[in-house]
Amino acid sequence: DCEVLTMPWYLILKAIVDYLKIAKVADCIKMGYPEAESNGMDKDGYTVVYVGRSHETNRNIYHGGEGTVTLEVGAYVNDNGKDFDTGYEKLSALESKVQEQIEEWASQDMPVKEIEIMEVQIDETAGNPYIARPTLGSFMALTAKWSKRTL
């Protein structure tokens, strides 16, 4: 029998997606990079959040290992309003809910049982210029530093 080792990026990604689902931050929450338009975005006010893998850096394998994982969090809203005011207000509210839940997740004692999360930060948030109205969206770059050394 071989022990199945799970990469830290997947452990962190799955834990965040599960936490956002429990918190019900959006109408649709998915792992990966689905097209927002294909997830019910034809309904006014509908919201979608996805979390996908970006990259890992600073991987140190000494004594169990440690490193940094970067994930992308996408937030999308559908707004059939005539101007951007209501859409941006809805997008801002969704981003705020997502960020609050990520902060709550990160402040737990051992949010991922297999590894210790040392630090979590949102490096940047940017609008998505590749999506067309009535859908508005943004990306957040989320970085988590992890360690197995202290376990």
Side-chain angles (χ1 to χ4, degrees), residues 23-136:
K24 298 180 181 173
V25 297
D27 297 311
C28 178
I29 301 160
K30 295 204 173 228
M31 183 183 295
Y33 299 103
E35 291 187 24
E37 296 93 336
S38 66
N39 289 295
M41 290 303 291
D42 55 339
K43 302 174 209 146
D44 189 37
Y46 196 78
T47 56
V48 174
V49 170
Y50 75 77
V51 184
R53 179 185 186 194
S54 180
H55 61 277
E56 285 185 84
T57 55
N58 304 318
R59 180 75 189 258
N60 183 334
I61 57 174
Y62 182 71
H63 289 297
E66 61 187 23
T68 303
V69 171
T70 301
L71 305 174
E72 284 189 7
V73 180
Y76 294 94
V77 298
N78 187 331
D79 179 66
N80 292 322
K82 292 180 182 175
D83 54 38
F84 282 86
D85 290 356
T86 59
Y88 279 150
E89 185 177 350
K90 290 175 185 176
L91 182 59
S92 175
L94 178 58
E95 288 175 352
S96 180
K97 283 198 293 190
V98 170
Q99 288 182 14
E100 286 172 14
Q101 291 304 312
I102 289 171
E103 288 173 16
E104 278 188 29
W105 172 82
S107 67
Q108 296 178 85
D109 185 34
M110 297 298 291
V112 180
K113 66 180 180 178
E114 298 89 347
I115 57 177
E116 183 173 357
I117 303 300
M118 310 297 283
E119 179 182 324
V120 176
Q121 67 184 44
I122 295 173
D123 296 319
E124 71 174 325
T125 301
N128 183 344
Y130 304 107
I131 200 157
R133 291 278 314 231
T135 302
L136 298 170

